[in-house]
Each structure stands twice: as structure tokens, then as C-alpha cells.
């Protein structure tokens, strides 16, 4: 995985057909997805349950791009090795998931993955300052984590702007997760984001049998975002 700040669209398979993950992943990559985002929920840190390391290992052979694993679980540390062994390229843990996030980020890197730090909407981005030198990605949640299809929380745009200034020229991705659409994407990209997670806005209207809407949806988000990236320069 090389670092660059180009716009990356990362469809969340939380909005895919759970009975057909392999085909859904091949379809979104063929339709222009840059990364594949995997939302892991434990029914404890967030009020929803999804999947764990065996599912990640099973879908890994279908992913040609980047497997971006978002852990909405607490505790995190006992599961890091298993997600790394399952083939995660990026493992993102929440600052709010435990008392020892510094140790968690170090453990993710030691396991051979890129280390991501996620921040809930109620957490000021300034809380990430002491951790930035051991982060490869900071994920700014633009919804409260737990479910797809929620509305974008507008106040997070200013948080992204402040985080971008804090990061300076360090090679750290800013990822946005939740409520990303062609309408909201330009605002977060203008504020400094480069990885856009989108679930419902990518999968809507399409299926494995007819994946062309996935391509149209990805292009609509990318075009809107890139227009704003140019405008921001
Ligand atoms: C929310 C998840 C997101 C979510 C995004 O807890 O982390 O990745 O699936 O879904 P949309 O794009 O539908 O808001
Ligand atoms: Zn996510």
C-alpha cells in the first residue's frame, strides 16, 4: 500500500447482499471502487452485530484492492492478530473503545497492518494529537457508528478541517465514514478528506445481476469530490 492523497472511494459491504459477498466485492471493484470497507460490530461498543475474522478471511481472496477493516468493538486488542491474519491491510480502532489506544495502534502496526484511529462525532479531533505519529489513517465518523443509511452530521466538516491542519505533511489518510453522497462528499474533501466510505450511496439501485448502478454511483461521488478537490487548491 503506497501513500497518496488522491480521492479513494471505499464502499462499505454493510450495504451489500450478505448472501453473496464474493460477487458483490468483485462487482464493486470492477465498477471502480478503490478500497473495500468492512464494518465489524460487536453489539456492545455499538448496538449492532456484523462479522468477525473468519468472514474477513473468506472474502480476502475476492479483494484485489485494499481491505479496510473498521473495528467497532471493545475490547480491541485480543482480536488484532486475528484480523491481521485474515488479511486486513488497514485495521481501524476507535479512540473511545478503551483506555489504551496508543498501545492498540502500536499492536496493529506490529501485526503488520496499517493503523487507523476512528473518532466518534462527539470526540474532538484534538484528542488524536498525541497519537498521530503512530497512525496511518484517521477516520472521522460523520454518523454515530452502528448502522448504514444515517444522515451526515454537518458539524464534522469543521472537525475534518482542524484535523487536516494538525496532520500537516505527515503521510496520514483522512477517512470519512457515514452519510457520504455526491452532495456531502465535496464538503469533506474540500476540508481535507481523501478516503470516502459509502455504503447505501454506492449499493443503491444495483445488484450482482446488474452492477452498472454501482459504477454510476461511485462515479457520481468521485466526480463531485474531485470537482471540490480542484476547487480547494
Ligand atoms: C457506520 C459504518 C459505516 C456505514 C456507512 O457505523 O461504519 O461504514 O456502513 O454507511 P452509509 O454510507 O450508508 O452511511
Ligand atoms: Zn465503517
Amino acid at each position: 500500500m503506497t501513500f497518496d492523497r488522491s480521492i479513494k472511494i471505499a464502499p462499505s459491504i454493510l450495504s451489500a447482499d450478505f448472501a453473496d459477498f464474493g460477487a458483490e466485492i468483485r462487482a464493486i471493484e470492477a465498477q471502480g471502487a478503490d478500497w473495500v470497507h468492512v464494518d465489524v460490530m460487536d453489539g456492545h461498543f455499538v448496538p449492532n452485530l456484523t462479522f468477525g475474522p473468519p468472514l474477513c478471511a473468506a472474502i480476502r481472496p475476492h479483494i484485489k484492492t485494499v481491505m479496510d477493516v473498521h473495528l467497532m468493538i471493545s475490547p480491541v486488542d485480543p482480536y488484532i492478530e486475528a484480523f491481521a491474519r485474515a488479511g486486513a491491510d488497514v485495521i481501524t480502532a476507535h479512540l473511545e473503545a478503551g483506555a489504551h489506544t496508543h498501545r492498540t495502534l502500536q499492536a496493529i502496526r506490529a501485526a503488520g497492518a496499517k493503523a487507523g484511529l476512528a473518532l466518534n462525532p462527539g470526540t474532538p479531533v484534538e484528542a488524536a494529537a498525541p497519537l498521530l505519529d503512530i497512525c496511518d489513517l484517521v477516520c472521522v465518523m460523520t454518523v454515530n457508528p452502528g448502522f448504514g443509511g444515517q444522515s451526515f452530521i454537518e458539524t464534522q466538516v469543521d472537525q475534518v478541517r482542524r484535523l487536516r491542519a494538525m496532520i500537516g505533511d505527515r503521510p496520514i489518510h483522512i477517512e470519512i465514514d457515514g452519510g457520504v453522497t455526491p452532495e456531502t462528499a465535496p464538503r469533506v474533501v474540500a476540508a481535507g478528506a481523501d478516503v470516502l466510505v459509502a455504503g447505501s450511496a454506492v449499493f443503491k439501485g444495483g445488484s450482482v445481476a446488474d452492477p452498472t448502478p454501482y459504477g454510476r454511483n461511485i462515479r457520481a461521488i468521485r466526480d463531485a469530490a474531485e470537482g471540490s478537490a480542484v476547487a480547494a487548491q
Side-chain angles (χ1 to χ4, degrees):
M1 248 184 99
T2 53
F3 179 84
D4 69 69
R5 284 194 204 286
S6 63
I7 305 297
K8 288 160 282 291
I9 311 295
S12 165
I13 61 165
L14 192 59
S15 295
D17 177 355
F18 275 36
D20 214 353
F21 278 133
E24 288 278 48
I25 287 165
R26 294 192 302 275
I28 53 172
E29 288 193 342
Q31 295 292 328
D34 300 289
W35 291 13
V36 176
H37 186 82
V38 183
D39 283 309
V40 175
M41 306 186 187
D42 67 354
H44 163 73
F45 179 69
V46 290
N48 195 5
L49 270 174
T50 55
F51 16 79
L55 185 283
C56 292
I59 63 175
R60 177 69 260 190
H62 300 275
I63 300 177
K64 293 198 186 69
T65 58
V66 169
M67 184 172 180
D68 176 34
V69 176
H70 177 193
L71 300 182
M72 287 160 275
I73 66 174
S74 176
V76 177
D77 295 11
Y79 302 101
I80 290 171
E81 273 294 332
F83 283 105
R85 268 201 311 275
D89 297 294
V90 182
I91 298 178
T92 297
H94 271 259
L95 180 66
E96 306 84 1
H100 303 292
T101 314
H102 190 281
R103 176 185 294 151
T104 300
L105 293 167
Q106 285 182 317
I108 293 171
R109 281 187 168 176
K114 299 286 184 195
L117 173 67
L119 304 172
N120 281 337
T123 301
V125 290
E126 286 71 20
L131 301 169
L132 288 180
D133 285 330
I134 51 168
C135 283
D136 301 294
L137 173 149
V138 179
C139 173
V140 177
M141 293 303 302
T142 36
V143 298
N144 288 297
F147 302 95
Q150 303 181 80
S151 305
F152 182 84
I153 300 174
E154 200 63 49
T155 47
Q156 291 301 83
V157 175
D158 187 55
Q159 292 243 73
V160 174
R161 194 170 295 116
R162 301 201 316 268
L163 176 65
R164 184 69 196 87
M166 287 162 57
I167 286 174
D169 57 11
R170 284 178 275 205
I172 302 173
H173 296 290
I174 299 183
E175 179 175 79
I176 297 306
D177 191 357
V180 169
T181 65
E183 289 69 44
T184 57
R187 297 202 282 284
V188 284
V189 167
D194 62 296
V195 184
L196 305 178
V197 176
S200 37
V202 165
F203 286 92
K204 73 166 186 210
S207 67
V208 167
D210 177 18
T212 51
Y214 298 167
R216 273 202 301 276
N217 295 338
I218 290 170
R219 260 192 317 280
I221 297 169
R222 194 189 302 284
D223 288 352
E226 285 177 348
S228 142
V230 172
Q233 278 166 13

